[in-house]
Amino acid sequence: MNTERRNLAWRRISKNSGPFLIFGLVVLAFVGLPLYSSEAATQFNVYNALQSSAALGLLALAIGISMIAGEFDLSTVGVYALGGMLAVKFGVDSPVLGVLIALGAGMVVGLIQGGIIAKLGISSVPVTLGGYIALLGLTSVISSGDSIAFENLDAGLWLEQEMFTWFSPRSLIMLAVFAAVGGLLYWTRTGRDLRAVGGDRRASRAAGVRTDRILVGTFVATAMISALAGALLSYSIASANPDPGGAPLVFAVTAALLGGVTLAGGRGTALGVLAGVLALSLLQEIFVIVATPDYVSNLVLGGLLVIVIAFDAPHLRDRLTSVRARMKDRPESARVSARFK
Amino acid sequence: MNAPAGVETVAEPAAGVTGSPRASRVRRLLLIGLQGLVAAAAVLAVVAAATTQGFFSVGNLQAILSSVGFVGIVAVGMTVIMISGSFVSMSLGTQAAVSAIFFVWALKFGVAPAILMTLVLGLLTGALQGYVIGGFGANPIVLTIAAVAVLEGLVVVFSSGGTVTPPDGAYTFLNSTVAGLPVSFYVLIGVVVIGEFIMRRTNFGKRVYMVGDNREAAWSSGFRMGQIGAGVFGLAGVTAAIAGVLLGAYNQGASLLLTGSLTYDAIAATLVGGTLVAGGKGSVWKTLAGAIVIAAITDLLLLRGYSSGVQILVKGLLVIVVVIVVHLRSQGTR
């Protein structure tokens, strides 16, 4: 009995430690750079990695939340672009106002999309895909199709200033959002309900969870977090781009999956996503340090995503289990292989 | 491997349906309202078209049909994917650009071999993704997003990322105009006819509809999902390759920039054509209609002087409205 419990505990730890294991490996590779290259990582590289995770990390958190709820919000990059554009457009005199307008727009987008998805029971992918296209169009209308420069350079300089050698106000804001979402997911009933809705929607509805509210809340949260990420980034780089392209999405999805969020829904933590984000950012920083061309890091990132997604795929695991079961020749093998023959 | 009996025995859970009478009345009212909105928008569009100078001219109609070609061809592949229940491939636009680059590079072996090699490459890259998606149950959206990153990386490895230019002008017939319409439009019609034939008349096509209608039943009744997935995405890869050949010829060179918004435009055409997002319903013909509708609206907005941002915005909103209408109607008939 005792060994069984210990086995269970061990399995739980090994199941949830994946993200931190990966993070640990990347940190080792980062610290150990001089061992396999002529370069060494500096304090500034850590700062840099945290800066790049400040924008894309929030995007990963947003997509991660939608995945925990059993949905997939493709419009996050669209809101990210819109938030950046609105902040640059309206935040010249008061950067705070710009961020607030971006957040407000995010809330409206989230309410509309979440309302459609929750009330009508439509899959989130086509709705948020239409939303993504519409949002890119809207952003392009606001900016008349061009990148817009941000005149208020002080705001960017303030956000980018070094604090405690590794951090900046921007990356600290990112960490604060992660902490807030993490606390919400871990300690509150809302967090539990969110995982329940993602794990088994019908059962959670039958158990009295207000699934519609949770879903609308999810899409409001994802959109507002994405808008914040876009707004802060555009202040920092002092410009807003109407079309961020596909790279942010690849980073965000890879980080969320590396962070232990599953596409089936119901599983994942903010801390895990943070580990995934930091691992990827440090990995990219390593590529920067050893001066690998952009396409190599793209290849590695894409290849990593392929591996992660293949492991997340339900039937690959089933097939492996069925092969393993057949090798062990347990009685269950007959049942498993009968299903997949 | 014949179509197994008893597919209907596994009930498909109706996602998110509360089933209360009030909720269904709200749905019905919403459906009527949205259909009214679509009808009103259609009337408005027709009126706007009639009052827009030059919309109904032969030249403009030719312009609309000419602009449908590339998107329409890729959308046919996208439709097959959506009917199979794998929703979309986010990599078809990139595959088209990669095909264009490969085609232009391969032109040194002659036009016909280059076309053939490009089609085979498209088939293989598509089938590889489809096998993982169908056989392992990998999420199609995320896997194809990853495929974009990998394909782009590989292209830069092989072509160093620049623009590839053709060695001679032997390919230019692909870029000619017949009876006022470009070759790409006739190819599109051919692709639609062949696609419709494959989906309706062949064993493979019927199986794709069945898989899309009820994936779990298909699994449990022993369909070879890996092969079907490979077939579906391989077919889509071929359409992307065809579009790539024509794109390379049209632009007299190729780079990754050719991707543009091709993926999203093809998805929009498929969704506006009324293909059911959950799979199992839809047709290649309707997608062609969807592509033409989008092209006509875009053209109208262009003639009226609206920016490309407005055109994209309208496209996105149209997608959302049609998705809702198709969803509500499919629930009503079930």
Side-chain angles (χ1 to χ4, degrees):
Chain A
M1 202 62 197
N2 205 7
T3 49
E4 203 168 277
R5 190 177 297 163
R6 203 182 303 151
N7 262 347
L8 202 72
W10 172 243
R11 204 180 301 161
R12 190 174 298 154
I13 290 171
S14 65
K15 224 177 178 178
N16 293 329
S17 62
F20 308 104
L21 200 72
I22 292 166
F23 175 62
L25 284 176
V26 176
V27 169
L28 280 182
F30 190 75
V31 176
L33 260 173
L35 296 177
Y36 56 90
S37 76
S38 53
E39 311 288 333
T42 61
Q43 305 280 14
F44 183 70
N45 292 126
V46 181
Y47 167 85
N48 238 354
L50 277 165
Q51 286 309 94
S52 62
S53 54
L56 299 176
L58 286 177
L59 216 50
L61 181 66
I63 287 187
I65 294 173
S66 77
M67 278 158 64
I68 294 173
E71 302 287 342
F72 195 82
D73 190 350
L74 271 172
S75 72
T76 42
V77 178
V79 187
Y80 177 73
L82 179 68
M85 196 54 76
L86 287 175
V88 162
K89 200 91 177 171
F90 296 106
V92 181
D93 295 325
S94 162
V96 175
L97 180 71
V99 172
L100 287 179
I101 289 176
L103 285 174
M107 191 168 79
V108 172
V109 171
L111 279 174
I112 295 173
Q113 293 192 141
I116 293 172
I117 291 159
K119 298 289 173 198
L120 302 179
I122 305 185
S123 151
S124 54
V125 173
V127 176
T128 54
L129 191 89
Y132 170 74
I133 298 173
L135 286 168
L136 282 192
L138 185 62
T139 310
S140 175
V141 169
I142 293 172
S143 75
S144 340
D146 297 317
S147 287
I148 289 193
F150 187 52
E151 313 292 343
N152 188 341
L153 294 176
D154 293 337
L157 289 174
W158 185 81
L159 280 170
E160 293 292 281
Q161 65 185 303
E162 278 185 44
M163 294 171 89
F164 317 114
T165 47
W166 290 356
F167 300 95
S168 73
R170 194 155 68 93
S171 59
L172 288 176
I173 292 174
M174 181 263 296
L175 292 173
V177 174
F178 264 92
V181 171
L184 190 81
L185 284 178
Y186 194 81
W187 279 301
T188 68
R189 195 190 153 148
T190 312
R192 210 179 56 216
D193 287 353
L194 181 76
R195 281 193 299 277
V197 165
D200 190 334
R201 192 153 304 167
R202 282 187 152 191
S204 59
R205 188 179 290 124
V209 175
R210 308 183 77 160
T211 50
D212 286 4
R213 253 189 213 192
I214 294 283
L215 277 180
V216 175
T218 300
F219 282 94
V220 169
T222 56
M224 287 179 74
I225 293 172
S226 310
L228 177 67
L232 294 182
L233 178 71
S234 63
Y235 283 171
S236 285
I237 60 176
S239 79
N241 177 358
D243 187 0
L249 191 65
V250 174
F251 182 100
V253 175
T254 314
L257 288 171
L258 275 181
V261 182
T262 60
L263 280 158
R267 283 193 48 200
T269 62
L271 199 61
V273 175
L274 184 62
V277 166
L278 293 179
L280 273 192
S281 307
L282 282 179
L283 191 65
Q284 287 193 324
E285 193 62 25
I286 292 177
F287 286 130
V288 172
I289 295 171
V290 297
T292 29
D294 261 359
Y295 67 86
V296 177
S297 74
N298 277 345
L299 253 182
V300 171
L301 211 61
L304 203 59
L305 185 53
V306 169
I307 294 169
V308 172
I309 188 67
F311 271 102
D312 190 67
H315 295 304
L316 179 70
R317 226 176 302 141
D318 288 349
R319 280 189 183 187
L320 290 178
T321 335
S322 103
V323 168
R324 215 183 301 158
R326 222 174 297 155
M327 282 161 92
K328 279 188 181 169
D329 203 26
R330 279 186 181 166
E332 67 190 281
S333 67
R335 186 170 49 86
V336 177
S337 53
R339 209 176 129 212
F340 293 103
K341 258 288 164 68
Chain B
M1 280 303 284
N2 274 330
V7 171
E8 310 83 53
T9 50
V10 180
E12 191 180 58
V17 182
T18 44
S20 76
R22 197 181 70 88
S24 74
R25 204 180 318 129
V26 170
R27 276 156 204 280
R28 214 174 307 135
L29 281 177
L30 183 65
L31 178 58
I32 293 169
L34 282 177
Q35 284 178 331
L37 182 73
V38 172
V43 171
L44 184 73
V46 170
V47 171
T51 55
T52 302
Q53 187 120 36
F55 183 83
F56 281 117
S57 68
V58 175
N60 190 49
L61 293 181
Q62 281 174 345
I64 292 175
L65 293 181
S66 305
S67 70
V68 165
F70 305 128
V71 173
I73 293 169
V74 177
V76 169
M78 200 67 87
T79 306
V80 177
I81 291 175
M82 202 177 288
I83 290 173
S84 80
S86 288
F87 189 52
V88 290
S89 164
M90 303 293 272
S91 65
L92 285 187
T94 305
Q95 283 194 64
V98 171
S99 300
I101 293 168
F102 180 81
F103 168 70
V104 172
W105 171 81
L107 273 173
K108 59 185 173 192
F109 303 115
V111 178
I115 292 177
L116 202 64
M117 285 158 67
T118 310
L119 296 190
V120 171
L121 181 77
L123 180 74
L124 291 180
T125 44
L128 195 63
Q129 297 169 48
Y131 188 81
V132 179
I133 290 165
F136 301 162
N139 182 294
I141 295 168
V142 181
L143 188 101
T144 50
I145 289 174
V148 169
V150 173
L151 283 172
E152 286 183 353
L154 287 177
V155 163
V156 179
V157 172
F158 286 112
S159 76
S160 61
T163 302
V164 186
T165 46
D168 54 47
Y171 66 91
T172 41
F173 72 92
L174 289 168
N175 197 18
S176 54
T177 308
V178 181
L181 290 170
V183 169
S184 63
F185 181 75
Y186 298 100
V187 175
L188 168 64
I189 298 301
V191 169
V192 168
V193 169
I194 295 171
E196 187 73 12
F197 176 82
I198 292 176
M199 293 303 285
R200 298 285 177 192
R201 301 275 170 215
T202 66
N203 220 338
F204 170 77
K206 287 171 189 162
R207 226 173 273 161
V208 170
Y209 273 100
M210 269 187 247
V211 169
D213 200 40
N214 196 333
R215 180 161 291 257
E216 287 309 311
W219 257 111
S220 45
S221 53
F223 273 37
R224 290 182 185 248
M225 301 296 276
Q227 288 177 12
I228 292 177
V232 166
F233 281 81
L235 212 59
V238 171
T239 62
I242 295 171
V245 167
L246 294 167
L247 271 174
Y250 180 76
N251 291 289
Q252 300 167 15
S255 75
L256 276 177
L257 291 177
L258 286 183
T259 309
S261 61
L262 197 53
T263 308
Y264 291 106
D265 288 347
I267 296 173
T270 308
L271 288 172
V272 171
T275 302
L276 191 60
V277 175
K281 285 201 183 75
S283 84
V284 173
W285 286 117
K286 288 185 183 168
T287 296
L288 177 64
I292 292 177
V293 165
I294 290 179
I297 292 175
T298 306
D299 178 84
L300 182 60
L301 291 171
L302 192 71
L303 286 182
R304 291 229 145 207
Y306 288 100
S307 68
S308 67
V310 175
Q311 296 161 26
I312 300 169
L313 175 63
V314 168
K315 205 187 311 174
L317 294 178
L318 186 67
V319 167
I320 296 179
V321 170
V322 173
V323 163
I324 296 174
V325 168
V326 170
H327 172 82
L328 291 174
R329 289 179 67 159
S330 80
Q331 284 198 327
T333 56
R334 255 181 206 168

